[in-house]
C-alpha cells in the first residue's frame, strides 16, 4: 500500500495543503511545533479512523475554522481514497471511502494496514502489564475482527460481574451465588477464546519478531516473548482443551477474595507478556538501549506479521524515533527502511541528517509552520 | 439577519394544547419533535368519529389490559389467550424476555406451545438480579404443570447469554429437557453481507445433515 498524496484543510496548523509523497522514505524535517507529527497524525487517522494522540475534534480544528478535512489518495489493491470531514456546526465526523460515505468504520480498519513507532512505545516494555496487553490486543485486532468483538464482550462481562460481586458483598445475599456461577461461565467462555487467540498469536508472531530483532541489532541475541495467563509460569503451558477447566478452578479458589475485594481477579484482563533477552527478563535487567531496540523490533515484527497476514504492505510511521537511538543503530534502521514499504520519518532539523540514506527515491520535506516544501 | 425574528427560546408561539400534545408524542420511542408535530396536527384535523376511536383504543389499552397470571403475557383476562387455548401444546414452555417477543414468535405460526415472559434479563450493572425476573414463577409452573421441554429464547447478547446459562443451571437438575433456539444466518440473506460474528456463530453451531 502506498499513500501517493495527502490533502489537508484546516487540520491542526495546516490551512490548505496538498503534499505528494515518495513510495520509499519520506523524511519530514522541521523544528518543534511546526507540524511534523500532525502529518503522521493525519495519515494514521485515515488508516485507522482513530487519533493516536487521542485528540478531540476541536483540538484538530485549525484556529477559528469551522470544519476540517483530511483526504488521502492510496495505491492499494485498487486506487483508493479516504476522506475524513468534520464540521463544527454538526459536531460530526463523516468518513468516506472512494467518495462514498461509510457508516461502519470497520470497512476502513484493516484495509489500510499501518505501523506507528512513537516515543510513547517505551510503555510497551517499560510500562504496566496493561500497556503490554494494549499493544498485543491492537496487533491481533488489526489482523481479524473476531478478536476485537470478543474483547468488547469480555469488557462488558467484567463490568457486570464486578457489579454483582459488589452487590453480593454489600447485601450478603447468598441467593446471588448462582447468578455469579452463570456470569463465571460466560466469563470463562469468552475469556478462554481471548487466551487461546493470544497464545496462538505469540506463536505466530515469534518468527517475525526474531527476524526483526536480528535486523535491528545485527547480533544473534535470543529475544523472547512469553505469555503468562491464568497464573501459570513462563514455561508451563496449559493445553487449549484444559483452559476452561483451569479457569473455573481458579475462580473457585479465589472466590472469597474476589467477594472481599469486589474485583475480578481471574482472567485474561490480568495476563502478562514477559520479554526476555538471552533468557533474562528485560524489565529487570534491560538497559535503556536494550529496551529501545526491543520496542523497535516489536513494531517491525508487527509490520512483517501484518504484511504476511493481510497480504498488503503496511505503511510505516516513525515519530521522532531516530532522536533517541545511537547513531549506529539509527543508520542501520535507516538502511533497512529502504527494503520495506513506504515510510514516513519525522526529524528535528538539528538531528543528524548526515546518517540518512540519500538515495534517489527518498524525499526530504521541510515542514515549517504548517507548510511543506521539498528540499 | 435579526436573530430576534427566529426565536429559538422555550417560548414558542403555538397554542398551548397543541404544544402539550407535541410534548406527549415526543416521549414515544422513535418519535422526534417533527414527527410528534405531524401526529398532533393529524389528530387535530381528523373527524370526530375516528378521533374518538383512537382515544378509546388508547384508554382501553391501559384499562382493559393486564398481565397473564400464568405466563405474564399481555392479556385481557386473568389468563391470556394462549394459556386458555385448548389447541396449544401444554407440555412445552418457551421462555422469552418481553411480551413483544411472543408477538414475534407467534407471527411465525411455527410454535404451538406455551410461553413464559421473564420481564428482562440478568444485568447486575443495571441492578437486575434474578429476584426481579419471573423465575420463581417459572419454577412454580414446572411443579404445577406437566412440562416436558423448556425452550430458552433470549436475545443472543451478553446479558441474554448469562441469563440462559443461569436458567440452564437451575433447570437441568430437574430432569426436564432444556433447549436453546439456534443462532445463525437470516433466511433470504446473502452470506457475503452477513457480519463476521453471525457467520462465525453459524459455523460453530452447524448441524449434521
Amino acid at each position: 500500500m502506498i499513500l501517493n498524496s495527502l490533502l489537508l484543510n484546516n487540520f491542526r496548523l495546516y490551512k490548505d495543503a496538498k503534499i505528494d509523497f515518495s513510495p520509499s522514505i519520506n523524511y519530514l524535517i522541521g523544528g518543534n511545533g511546526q507540524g511534523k507529527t500532525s502529518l503522521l497524525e493525519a495519515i494514521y487517522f485515515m488508516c485507522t479512523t482513530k487519533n493516536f494522540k487521542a485528540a478531540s475534534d476541536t483540538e484538530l480544528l485549525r484556529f477559528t475554522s469551522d470544519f476540517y478535512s483530511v483526504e488521502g489518495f492510496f495505491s492499494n489493491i485498487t486506487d483508493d481514497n479516504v476522506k475524513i470531514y468534520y464540521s463544527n456546526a454538526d459536531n460530526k465526523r463523516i468518513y468516506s471511502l472512494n467518495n462514498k460515505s461509510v457508516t461502519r468504520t470497520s470497512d476502513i480498519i484493516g484495509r489500510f494496514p499501518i505501523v506507528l513507532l512513537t516515543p510513547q512505545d517505551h510503555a510497551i516494555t517499560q510500562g504496566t502489564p496493561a500497556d503490554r496487553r494494549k499493544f498485543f490486543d491492537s496487533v491481533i485486532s488489526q489482523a481479524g475482527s473476531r478478536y476485537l468483538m470478543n474483547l468488547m464482550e469480555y469488557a462488558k462481562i467484567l463490568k457486570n460481574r464486578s457489579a454483582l460481586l459488589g452487590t453480593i458483598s454489600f447485601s450478603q445475599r447468598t441467593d446471588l451465588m448462582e447468578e455469579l456461577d452463570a456470569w463465571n461461565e460466560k466469563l470463562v467462555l469468552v475469556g478462554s477464546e481471548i487466551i487461546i487467540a493470544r497464545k496462538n498469536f505469540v506463536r505466530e508472531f515469534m518468527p517475525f519478531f526474531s527476524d526483526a530483532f536480528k535486523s535491528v541489532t545485527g547480533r544473534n541475541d535470543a529475544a523472547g516473548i512469553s505469555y503468562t495467563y491464568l497464573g501459570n509460569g513462563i514455561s508451563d503451558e496449559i493445553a487449549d482443551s484444559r483452559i476452561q477447566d483451569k479457569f473455573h478452578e481458579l475462580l473457585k479458589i479465589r472466590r472469597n477474595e474476589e467477594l472481599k475485594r469486589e474485583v475480578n481477579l481471574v482472567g485474561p484482563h490480568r495476563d502478562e507478556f514477559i520479554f526476555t533477552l538471552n533468557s533474562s527478563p528485560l524489565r529487570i535487567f534491560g538497559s535503556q538501549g536494550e529496551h529501545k531496540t526491543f520496542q523497535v523490533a516489536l513494531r517491525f515484527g508487527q509490520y512483517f506479521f501484518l504484511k504476511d497476514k493481510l497480504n498488503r504492505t503496511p505503511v510505516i510511521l516513525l515519530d521522532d524515533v531516530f532522536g533517541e537511538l545511537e547513531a549506529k543503530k539509527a543508520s542501520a534502521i535507516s538502511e533497512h527502511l529502504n527494503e520495506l514499504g513506504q515510510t514516513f520519518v519525522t526529524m528535528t532539523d538539528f538531528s543528524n541528517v548526515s546518517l540518512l540514506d540519500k538515495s534517489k527515491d527518498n524525499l526530504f520535506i521541510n515542514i515549517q509552520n504548517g507548510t511543506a516544501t521539498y528540499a | 439577519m435579526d436573530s430576534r425574528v427566529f426565536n429559538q427560546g422555550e417560548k414558542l408561539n403555538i397554542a398551548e394544547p397543541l404544544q402539550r400534545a407535541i410534548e406527549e408524542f415526543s416521549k414515544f420511542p422513535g418519535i422526534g419533535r417533527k414527527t410528534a408535530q405531524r401526529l398532533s396536527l393529524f389528530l387535530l384535523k381528523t373527524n370526530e368519529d375516528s378521533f374518538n376511536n383512537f382515544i378509546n383504543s388508547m384508554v382501553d389499552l391501559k384499562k382493559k389490559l393486564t398481565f397473564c397470571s400464568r405466563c405474564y403475557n399481555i392479556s385481557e383476562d386473568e389468563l391470556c389467550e394462549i394459556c386458555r387455548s385448548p389447541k396449544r401444546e401444554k407440555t412445552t414452555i418457551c421462555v422469552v424476555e418481553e411480551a413483544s417477543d411472543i408477538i414475534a414468535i407467534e407471527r411465525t405460526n411455527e410454535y404451538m406451545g406455551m410461553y413464559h415472559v421473564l420481564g428482562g434479563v440478568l444485568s447486575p450493572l443495571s441492578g437486575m438480579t434474578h429476584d426481579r425476573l419471573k423465575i420463581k414463577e417459572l419454577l412454580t409452573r414446572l411443579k404445577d404443570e406437566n412440562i416436558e421441554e423448556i425452550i430458552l429464547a433470549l436475545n443472543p447478547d451478553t446479558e441474554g447469554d448469562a441469563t440462559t446459562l443461569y436458567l440452564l443451571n437451575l433447570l437441568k437438575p430437574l430432569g426436564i429437557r432444556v433447549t436453546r433456539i439456534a443462532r445463525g444466518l437470516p433466511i433470504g440473506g446473502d452470506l457475503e453481507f452477513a457480519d463476521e460474528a453471525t457467520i462465525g456463530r453459524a459455523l460453530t453451531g452447524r448441524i449434521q445433515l
Side-chain angles (χ1 to χ4, degrees):
Chain A
M1 179 183 93
I2 303 291
L3 172 63
N4 295 312
S5 60
L6 179 66
L7 282 175
L8 296 174
N9 271 301
N10 302 323
F11 183 83
R12 294 275 195 193
L13 277 176
Y14 295 86
K15 183 168 185 276
D16 179 16
K18 180 178 186 292
I19 310 169
D20 295 315
F21 296 116
S22 153
S24 305
I25 309 179
N26 296 274
Y27 293 104
L28 312 171
I29 302 162
N32 290 319
Q34 301 298 310
K36 302 184 302 288
T37 302
S38 306
L39 279 185
L40 300 190
E41 198 179 16
I43 297 168
Y44 191 85
F45 198 15
M46 286 188 296
C47 296
T48 62
T49 72
K50 286 183 191 71
N51 186 285
F52 71 76
K53 292 186 138 188
S56 69
D57 286 304
T58 39
E59 286 173 71
L60 299 178
L61 206 55
R62 192 175 162 270
F63 185 55
T64 71
S65 310
D66 44 17
F67 79 96
Y68 73 71
S69 73
V70 179
E71 185 170 14
F73 298 88
F74 295 87
S75 299
N76 215 341
I77 290 169
T78 56
D79 284 344
D80 285 332
N81 79 70
V82 176
K83 187 175 180 177
I84 300 173
Y85 177 90
Y86 169 82
S87 98
N88 205 14
D90 301 334
N91 190 20
K92 215 172 82 184
R93 278 184 208 160
I94 299 166
Y95 301 95
S96 44
L97 176 61
N98 297 327
N99 303 317
K100 270 183 287 189
S101 77
V102 168
T103 42
R104 294 196 317 177
T105 51
S106 56
D107 290 343
I108 294 179
I109 299 167
R111 196 181 168 122
F112 303 96
I114 192 157
V115 175
L116 166 73
L117 286 84
T118 77
Q120 280 81 46
D121 283 349
H122 74 89
I124 302 172
T125 63
Q126 292 170 302
T128 62
D131 291 317
R132 279 180 281 290
R133 288 193 296 270
K134 201 172 131 197
F135 166 75
F136 285 98
D137 285 346
S138 81
V139 182
I140 307 172
S141 300
Q142 252 187 313
S145 56
R146 170 140 187 171
Y147 185 75
L148 185 61
M149 283 190 291
N150 276 335
L151 280 182
M152 291 193 296
E153 178 157 36
Y154 187 75
K156 223 164 131 191
I157 298 167
L158 286 181
K159 271 194 205 154
N160 269 302
R161 198 171 173 278
S162 70
L164 186 60
L165 289 169
T167 313
I168 296 175
S169 88
F170 175 76
S171 66
Q172 295 293 322
R173 275 173 56 187
T174 47
D175 65 304
L176 291 176
M177 287 311 216
E178 278 131 22
E179 236 174 85
L180 186 60
D181 287 337
W183 283 102
N184 282 355
E185 273 177 59
K186 190 75 188 136
L187 185 80
V188 168
L189 282 175
V190 181
S192 301
E193 267 202 57
I194 292 173
I195 292 173
I196 290 170
R198 285 178 178 172
K199 270 176 74 178
N200 290 339
F201 172 76
V202 170
R203 195 172 47 238
E204 272 184 69
F205 182 63
M206 244 355 258
F208 296 105
F209 170 70
S210 299
D211 285 353
F213 194 86
K214 280 191 190 113
S215 313
V216 174
T217 57
R219 289 203 305 265
N220 252 334
D221 291 318
I225 304 171
S226 301
Y227 170 45
T228 65
Y229 48 96
L230 299 178
N232 73 323
I234 290 185
S235 48
D236 42 309
E237 238 188 61
I238 306 173
D240 288 0
S241 56
R242 279 265 309 133
I243 284 179
Q244 294 203 7
D245 292 342
K246 174 86 186 184
F247 206 142
H248 274 299
E249 232 170 81
L250 284 173
L251 283 170
K252 211 180 277 170
I253 293 170
R254 304 196 71 175
R255 169 165 285 196
N256 287 335
E257 198 186 345
E258 282 195 309
L259 285 169
K260 205 164 116 194
R261 291 170 57 185
E262 301 171 28
V263 182
N264 295 295
L265 292 175
V266 185
H269 63 292
R270 306 186 67 98
D271 286 351
E272 169 69 303
F273 295 87
I274 295 165
F275 301 122
T276 54
L277 190 56
N278 296 323
S279 308
S280 32
L282 182 75
R283 222 163 70 87
I284 304 167
F285 299 106
S287 68
Q288 281 299 327
E290 283 166 341
H291 273 282
K292 192 74 219 163
T293 343
F294 228 92
Q295 292 148 17
V296 172
L298 283 169
R299 287 299 184 190
F300 281 115
Q302 176 188 1
Y303 167 88
F304 290 114
F305 172 78
L306 288 177
K307 184 176 177 181
D308 183 76
K309 255 301 209 236
L310 302 172
N311 231 342
R312 296 165 196 243
T313 308
V315 162
I316 301 175
L317 308 180
L318 300 178
D319 187 18
D320 205 19
V321 170
F322 282 173
E324 292 183 19
L325 281 178
E326 320 151 34
K328 215 175 83 196
K329 249 170 216 158
S331 69
I333 291 173
S334 174
E335 255 168 56
H336 277 295
L337 290 178
N338 270 327
E339 299 154 20
L340 306 177
Q342 191 182 27
T343 312
F344 297 84
V345 187
T346 65
M347 312 194 78
T348 42
D349 37 12
F350 43 82
S351 356
N352 199 350
V353 180
S354 65
L355 52 87
L356 301 180
D357 188 272
K358 295 218 173 58
S359 52
K360 271 225 163 75
D361 293 342
N362 298 342
L363 201 56
F364 289 78
I365 304 172
N366 286 318
I367 309 288
Q368 202 169 27
N369 197 19
T371 40
T373 48
Y374 298 97
Chain B
M1 219 177 283
D2 190 340
S3 63
R4 277 169 298 177
V5 178
F6 299 95
N7 187 351
Q8 304 213 331
E10 52 290 328
K11 199 175 174 306
L12 290 160
N13 289 323
I14 297 178
E16 205 261 352
L18 179 59
Q19 203 178 332
R20 257 176 53 206
I22 295 172
E23 292 290 334
E24 290 301 331
F25 271 123
S26 20
K27 289 178 189 165
F28 282 45
I31 304 286
R33 253 208 109 70
K34 276 194 181 140
T35 314
Q37 194 174 314
R38 271 181 75 193
L39 295 175
S40 310
L41 289 169
F42 173 79
L43 275 181
L44 195 60
K45 276 195 236 165
T46 196
N47 69 46
E48 195 76 17
D49 276 354
S50 32
F51 183 77
N52 285 335
N53 284 342
F54 173 75
I55 293 301
N56 289 336
S57 69
M58 291 298 112
V59 172
D60 288 353
L61 192 66
K62 201 68 188 172
K63 211 162 64 186
K64 292 194 178 163
L65 291 184
T66 172
F67 293 102
C68 170
S69 65
R70 188 180 292 165
C71 75
Y72 300 93
N73 186 13
I74 296 159
S75 170
E76 256 185 284
D77 298 294
E78 171 83 16
L79 286 182
C80 72
E81 274 196 55
I82 295 171
C83 285
R84 270 182 304 164
S85 164
K87 288 187 195 145
R88 308 292 295 211
E89 181 70 53
K90 305 277 190 210
T91 55
T92 311
I93 294 181
C94 177
V95 178
V96 294
E97 252 174 76
E98 301 290 349
S100 53
D101 299 327
I102 294 185
I103 301 173
I105 297 175
E106 280 302 293
R107 270 204 305 258
T108 66
N109 279 325
E110 294 272 342
Y111 179 65
M112 283 309 289
M114 315 295 283
Y115 289 98
H116 190 85
V117 181
L118 285 182
V121 279
L122 294 179
S123 170
L125 209 53
S126 32
M128 284 300 273
T129 44
H130 67 97
D131 48 306
R132 296 183 62 178
L133 305 175
K134 303 287 182 204
I135 291 176
K136 229 188 304 145
E137 291 79 353
L138 176 66
L139 295 176
T140 316
R141 285 182 71 181
L142 296 181
K143 250 183 261 158
D144 298 347
E145 300 167 38
N146 183 25
I147 305 299
E148 286 166 9
E149 181 178 355
I150 299 267
I151 303 170
L152 300 175
L154 305 178
N155 289 332
D157 51 22
T158 310
E159 287 84 1
D161 284 351
T163 313
T164 298
L165 290 166
Y166 177 80
L167 290 173
L168 193 64
N169 289 341
L170 218 57
L171 299 172
K172 248 192 183 158
L174 303 179
I176 298 170
R177 189 172 129 91
V178 185
T179 55
R180 165 156 97 175
I181 54 165
R183 41 187 61 177
L185 296 166
I187 303 290
D190 253 314
L191 194 65
E192 62 169 325
F193 292 130
D195 65 287
E196 299 84 351
T198 307
I199 298 177
R201 279 195 162 166
L203 276 172
T204 317
R206 68 189 181 277
I207 49 174
Q208 179 152 16
L209 298 174

